[in-house]
Amino acid sequence: MKFFIDTANLDQIKEAQELGVLDGVTTNPSLMHKEGISGHDNILKHYSKICEIVDGDVSAEVTATDFDGMVKQGEELAALHDQIVVKIPMIEDGVKALKYFSDKGIRTNCTLIFSAGQALLAAKAGATYVSPFIGRLDDISTDGLNLIAEIRMIFDNYAYETEILAASIRHTMHIIDCAKLGADVMTGGLDSIKGLLKHPLTDIGLEKFLADFNAGQNA
Ligand code: E4P
């Protein structure tokens, strides 16, 4: 399973990179806004900074909603760095843009996926990744994990190469459940990734090992 961090915060991206398990970064306009990044040039510069920190894919989202606008913005983003993956919303012109970029060999991440049908359409249009938002489905009392299972079955049935990027991860158990269901990638916050480290028996065990080691040194 690939691990992406879902943030535009450079310190958190560095911390995840230093942990040695980071495969990429996802951003969206809300995450960029949260970091106070605005304006065309500043946004492009920020994506370049992220690409300098990580080795893997960096999803950069278009904000146009018409085909021509998405193509213009996506081509500009893709030209920025070979790690950039153009993030396209699941709307009608977005599907056309996915096909356009796929034909040109530009990698894409189809975002705002909330149904298996949307994922199937994006895969047929040649998306590199689909991003089902499991947390936002959970938020409305719908089983987000079930969507991951449905998409996995459909993609396996037809050997689609499009990768399932489980997004809107809210906590560590989401990561484990998505791994069990065969999601190719998960994107979550630093806390959800670092939550995988934790087990009270590890802490208790280490404390005992160190206490016994120190007792031996002092004997
Ligand atoms: C990632 O690509 C998505 O934009 C992100 O995971 C959405 O997460 P949220 O539902 O926590 O905003």
Side-chain angles (χ1 to χ4, degrees):
M1 185 187 223
K2 287 194 266 188
F3 276 22
F4 289 178
I5 189 167
D6 194 27
T7 184
N9 182 285
L10 299 181
D11 290 335
Q12 289 185 19
I13 294 169
K14 277 182 201 141
E15 189 175 340
Q17 174 69 19
E18 283 164 11
L19 193 58
V21 298
L22 193 65
D23 300 297
V25 177
T26 51
T27 62
N28 62 38
S30 303
L31 292 170
M32 296 291 271
H33 175 66
K34 193 174 165 194
E35 299 308 317
I37 312 298
S38 62
H40 175 267
D41 292 355
N42 287 337
I43 289 171
L44 293 188
K45 270 187 214 150
H46 200 73
Y47 285 135
S48 296
K49 284 183 194 166
I50 294 174
C51 290
E52 281 165 23
I53 299 170
V54 298
D55 302 321
D57 291 349
V58 175
S59 286
E61 188 159 340
V62 299
T63 50
T65 54
D66 63 297
F67 175 78
D68 290 339
M70 282 189 261
V71 164
K72 185 168 179 277
Q73 288 183 359
E75 286 184 333
E76 187 174 31
L77 289 167
L80 204 57
H81 201 287
D82 58 12
Q83 285 168 241
I84 294 283
V85 174
V86 180
K87 206 170 176 192
I88 304 279
M90 173 33 79
I91 55 176
E92 190 166 340
D93 276 23
V95 174
K96 293 177 192 167
L98 290 172
K99 179 72 171 81
Y100 172 88
F101 286 123
S102 169
D103 289 346
K104 289 197 82 176
I106 291 174
R107 293 173 311 134
T108 53
N109 173 359
C110 185
T111 190
L112 292 166
I113 295 279
F114 292 97
S115 76
Q118 291 177 325
L120 176 58
L121 202 52
K124 279 194 68 69
T128 312
Y129 298 103
V130 287
S131 287
F133 278 30
I134 62 173
R136 292 194 195 184
L137 282 169
D138 289 357
D139 289 346
I140 58 158
S141 304
T142 304
D143 186 358
L145 290 170
N146 186 50
L147 177 58
I148 301 292
E150 283 186 327
I151 299 172
R152 180 74 282 156
M153 182 191 290
I154 291 168
F155 284 10
D156 288 351
N157 282 348
Y158 297 97
Y160 283 124
E161 289 178 6
T162 300
E163 294 188 50
I164 302 171
L165 197 174
S168 187
I169 294 268
R170 294 276 191 263
H171 47 71
T172 301
M173 273 312 294
H174 266 158
I175 301 177
I176 296 165
D177 287 332
C178 286
K180 286 191 204 166
L181 291 168
D184 301 288
V185 191
M186 80 82 204
T187 189
L190 186 59
D191 286 352
S192 66
I193 296 172
K194 288 178 79 174
L196 293 166
L197 276 167
K198 294 177 194 155
H199 197 290
L201 290 179
T202 304
D203 299 337
I204 292 166
L206 182 60
E207 199 178 324
K208 177 82 168 82
F209 284 155
L210 295 179
D212 288 344
F213 171 76
N214 287 328
Q217 296 297 105
N218 298 330

